[in-house]
Amino acid sequence: MSGETSSTAGIPNTGDMPRHVAIIMDGNGRWARRRRLPRIAGHRRGAEAVRATVRACGERGIEYLTLFAFSSENWRRPAEEVALLMKLFKSALENEVEKLHANGVRLKVVGDIQRFGPKIGELIAGGEALTAHNRQLTLTIAANYGGRWDILQAVNRMLADGACAPVDEAALAPYLAMSYAPEPDLFIRTGGEQRISNFLLWQLAYAELYFTETLWPDFDGAALDQAIASYRKRERRFGRTSEQLEQSQRPEVA
Ligand code: FPP
């Protein structure tokens, strides 16, 4: 297993700033409805909030930002809304990737992207290739993603590689869609609901969960700072006792 995925194996030195923030961006529809605008206007403002949040994470030295843009279940929405979301995703890929690259952002897309068709597939592959060596911030867009899908695709690929029972976590980890990233430290969901909604099920095992009423189009650097302030107050024990943590954090005395 790469050291990157081992947050549950040792007591990580989390410091003050989360290394990896994962967000469910909820509330675009309600933001629009409150203004008597069509839902897609909320998604357009949601795309603005994505830009602001990527910038804010870069400024704060956060290394990984993962955004749930479109879940496996979102295909159940009206066809017109799905088509408009696809259009928004495609134009973001066409227009934003150069800017991401100029700012040292590595782009990754996780999920079953085949269903988006060849054009979006090409744009994703091109954007990932262009930005592959950037390390300022890794921006992962989860698109047609589901946590159960991820675990199943990992198991199936592992079996296809000839894995024999019993397997352990370390054997499965490299096959998970986000094997290149440490597990999220901080999970944020906007829009008031308090659910994981089939997001990163495996990887969120020890994440600190933060829920806010703020609707996604209103999310910005200040809202991110509030989430980080809450995160900093938490004691992350990873199954251990407070006393064990105190001992592990005490400086070595010669
Ligand atoms: C949830 O709000 C939001 C989505 C399903 C889509 C998220 C998409 C964007 C923010 C657009 C741009 C994304 C990228 C990566 C360019 P909702 O529609 O469920 O809101 P509601 O719960 O108020 O109805």
Side-chain angles (χ1 to χ4, degrees):
M1 179 166 76
S2 88
E4 287 288 46
T5 57
S6 63
S7 75
T8 55
I11 298 174
N13 182 16
T14 43
D16 279 346
M17 200 49 80
R19 280 186 76 195
H20 184 173
V21 176
I23 307 182
I24 294 186
M25 310 180 286
D26 200 6
N28 294 349
R30 278 164 287 163
W31 184 94
R33 198 168 61 227
R34 285 180 196 175
R35 288 161 179 77
R36 298 180 192 281
L37 295 169
R39 290 179 61 83
I40 191 65
H43 295 314
R44 285 209 185 91
R45 281 298 287 258
E48 294 287 328
V50 169
R51 277 183 213 108
T53 304
V54 170
R55 206 174 307 124
C57 284
E59 286 164 4
R60 285 156 185 75
I62 290 165
E63 294 169 66
Y64 296 86
L65 171 66
T66 301
L67 300 174
F68 206 5
F70 195 86
S71 76
S72 321
E73 291 74 32
N74 283 151
W75 296 105
R76 297 173 190 154
R77 293 189 173 208
E80 191 193 12
E81 182 172 345
V82 171
L84 285 165
L85 278 167
M86 290 305 131
K87 227 174 118 187
L88 207 54
F89 188 35
K90 184 165 161 274
S91 77
L93 286 164
E94 282 166 342
N95 302 319
E96 312 281 346
V97 168
E98 288 289 342
K99 263 181 273 170
L100 292 175
H101 185 47
N103 285 287
V105 178
R106 170 169 61 152
L107 176 69
K108 293 282 223 180
V109 179
V110 292
D112 189 2
I113 58 163
Q114 277 182 11
R115 199 164 162 190
F116 293 131
K119 180 66 196 159
I120 288 187
E122 277 166 32
L123 288 167
I124 291 171
E128 287 187 334
L130 178 71
T131 62
H133 300 293
N134 296 337
R135 286 297 178 273
Q136 177 68 31
L137 170 70
T138 297
L139 168 65
T140 301
I141 304 294
N144 196 20
Y145 177 89
R148 292 181 181 175
W149 166 84
D150 191 3
I151 293 167
L152 286 173
Q153 68 79 26
V155 168
N156 284 321
R157 288 199 300 131
M158 187 181 63
L159 293 175
D161 276 355
C164 297
V167 293
D168 58 12
E169 290 183 17
L172 185 70
Y175 292 96
L176 291 165
M178 291 198 64
S179 59
Y180 53 86
E183 292 170 14
D185 304 293
L186 172 61
F187 161 90
I188 299 172
R189 182 176 185 143
T190 62
E193 309 285 354
Q194 304 201 349
R195 283 193 291 276
I196 305 265
S197 295
N198 199 19
F199 194 23
L200 303 158
L201 295 182
W202 180 281
Q203 299 86 341
L204 287 174
Y206 286 89
E208 297 297 331
L209 308 181
Y210 177 85
F211 300 97
T212 173
E213 294 291 327
T214 301
L215 303 175
W216 177 251
D218 293 326
F219 197 85
D220 57 10
L224 177 67
D225 286 337
Q226 283 179 14
I228 293 169
S230 167
Y231 168 82
R232 283 171 162 162
K233 286 192 209 128
R234 320 266 179 105
E235 182 184 66
R236 308 192 71 200
R237 290 201 296 274
F238 299 93
R240 297 171 181 82
T241 66
S242 299
E243 290 73 22
Q244 283 176 306
L245 285 186
E246 274 168 32
Q247 272 165 20
S248 78
Q249 279 155 16
R250 211 171 279 157
E252 292 289 321
V253 183

